[in-house]
């Protein structure tokens, strides 16, 4: 993927040490992008960098200082054409009556403020390029509620409004704002993190049907980023065929 100046386009992918983020790094690299891969775990990033030729930079998106260092690194090493705000996740599935305040606070810090912090940091770089993409991975949890999901659906709705509002605020500038909203994706860690390391409970989420895999989502990300510059895919919802909505999954074995 090249820019109008024939140099490879350059993307920053957050949450790149696992799941959708790692798959996105692999796919963008295969498509010819330069990629800066970021997450907290430097060892996993180093392995991904070794495999794909991406540049790795460890940063916690909930830290002002670490995101500032990440942005400085991106600036110093070649600037930016696209940011994939993917770092995020769910904590718990408790009903509102029993929900853990600290879990909700941490979800907000990671999904909403993390995306805000990274986006604010890189917007000047995208503007310096004269064009760019801000992509946000939300979820079908950004579109509707489900029992036990209020903490996660709440933060994903907020992330969606961040993207929607930013698109409005940037209209007239050559910067696209793209939202990808996946349904159930069987990634190594998403449900494991959600259920505090309970592998049996995590595995049940994906039992009896074919969920999406990380590369299915990476494919949609790469596709939206590679549309002609005048085409803005505002929102792309992608679910497994077996999932009609957040609460209806046909566990029929296919
Ligand atoms: N899996 C699903 O069913 C699904 C469905 C819809 C939407 N999504 C969304 O898709 C995104 C990726 O999900 P996934 O399934 O790929 O999850 P995952 O496998 O758990 O990956 C989450 C990534 O976020 C990183 N991360 C977590 N906390 C971070 C922090 N404070 N700072 C920087 N990076 C951090 C993790 O790396 P480190 O731990 O190394 O930092 C990891 O690379 C999330 O936004 C999620 O909400 C997932």
């Amino acid at each position: 993927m090249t820019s109008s100046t024939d140099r490879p386009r350059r993307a920053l992918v957050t949450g790149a040490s696992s799941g959708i983020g790692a798959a996105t790094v692999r796919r963008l690299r295969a498509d010819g992008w330069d990629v800066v891969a970021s997450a907290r775990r430097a060892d996993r990033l180093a392995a991904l960098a070794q495999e794909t030729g991406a540049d790795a930079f460890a940063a916690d998106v909930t830290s002002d200082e670490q995101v500032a260092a990440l942005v400085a690194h991106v600036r110093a090493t070649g600037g930016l054409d696209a940011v994939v705000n993917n770092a995020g996740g769910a904590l718990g599935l408790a009903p509102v009556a029993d929900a853990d305040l600290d879990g909700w606070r941490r979800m907000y810090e990671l999904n909403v403020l993390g995306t805000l912090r990274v986006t604010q940091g890189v917007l000047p770089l995208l503007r310096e390029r004269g064009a760019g993409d801000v992509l946000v991975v939300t979820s079908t949890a950004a579109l509707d509620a489900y029992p036990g999901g209020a903490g996660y659906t709440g933060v994903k709705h907020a992330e969606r409004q961040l993207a929607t509002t930013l698109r409005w605020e940037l209209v007239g500038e050559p910067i696209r704002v793209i939202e990808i909203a996946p349904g159930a994706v069987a990634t190594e860690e998403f449900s494991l993190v959600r259920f505090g390391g309970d592998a049996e409970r995590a595995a049940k989420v994906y039992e009896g049907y074919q969920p999406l895999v990380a590369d299915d989502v990476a494919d949609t990300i790469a596709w939206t980023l590679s549309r002609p510059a005048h085409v803005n895919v505002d929102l792309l919802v992608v679910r497994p065929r077996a999932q009609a909505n957040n609460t209806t999954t046909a566990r029929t074995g296919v």
Side-chain angles (χ1 to χ4, degrees):
M1 176 57 45
T2 54
S3 66
S4 53
T5 56
D6 275 351
R7 56 163 171 70
R9 288 177 79 201
R10 194 153 192 258
L12 166 63
V13 180
T14 68
S17 64
S18 133
I20 294 166
T24 301
V25 172
R26 290 190 177 97
R27 195 169 261 275
L28 291 179
R29 285 293 299 143
D31 289 353
W33 288 71
D34 279 345
V35 179
V36 180
S38 189
R40 292 169 302 177
R41 287 169 294 177
D43 53 339
R44 293 179 67 111
L45 291 178
L48 185 67
Q50 173 84 18
E51 174 197 328
T52 63
D55 178 21
F57 193 93
D60 184 333
V61 299
T62 67
S63 157
D64 288 345
E65 295 73 26
Q66 292 185 33
V67 170
L70 170 64
V71 172
H73 173 80
V74 172
R75 177 189 289 281
T77 52
L80 200 66
D81 299 287
V83 61
V84 177
N85 281 297
N86 166 76
L91 295 170
L93 192 63
V96 170
D98 306 319
D100 176 42
L101 267 79
D102 187 50
W104 281 42
R105 196 174 289 120
R106 283 163 53 213
M107 281 192 281
Y108 198 87
E109 285 283 346
L110 171 58
N111 292 275
V112 187
L113 301 186
T115 295
L116 175 63
R117 190 177 283 110
V118 171
T119 302
Q120 286 181 336
V122 300
L123 258 181
L125 303 188
L126 300 175
R127 283 182 161 135
E128 279 166 26
R129 276 285 211 255
D133 293 328
V134 176
L135 188 146
V136 182
V137 179
T138 62
S139 168
T140 53
L143 307 173
D144 210 349
Y146 57 91
Y152 184 58
T153 58
V155 299
K156 287 300 186 185
H157 274 72
E159 228 184 320
R160 170 161 170 66
Q161 291 312 320
L162 184 162
T164 304
T165 308
L166 182 66
R167 188 180 306 115
W168 196 341
E169 291 167 351
L170 295 182
V171 73
E173 295 191 49
I175 296 179
R176 304 186 292 194
V177 181
I178 299 163
E179 178 185 356
I180 307 286
V185 192
T187 54
E188 306 149 70
E189 297 184 344
F190 177 84
S191 291
L192 209 54
V193 170
R194 175 168 223 169
F195 298 129
D198 183 338
E200 206 175 317
R201 195 172 175 201
K204 282 198 191 318
V205 174
Y206 309 112
E207 262 175 24
Y209 70 106
Q210 172 61 63
L212 298 178
V213 296
D215 186 58
D216 295 325
V217 183
D219 185 22
T220 67
I221 291 171
W223 180 78
T224 57
L225 292 177
S226 61
R227 292 311 84 211
H230 67 286
V231 177
N232 195 122
V233 180
D234 285 14
L235 169 66
L236 192 154
V237 181
V238 54
R239 299 182 203 268
R241 188 187 60 204
Q243 190 182 32
N245 54 49
N246 287 342
T247 50
T248 312
T249 302
R251 295 179 191 264
T252 57
V254 286

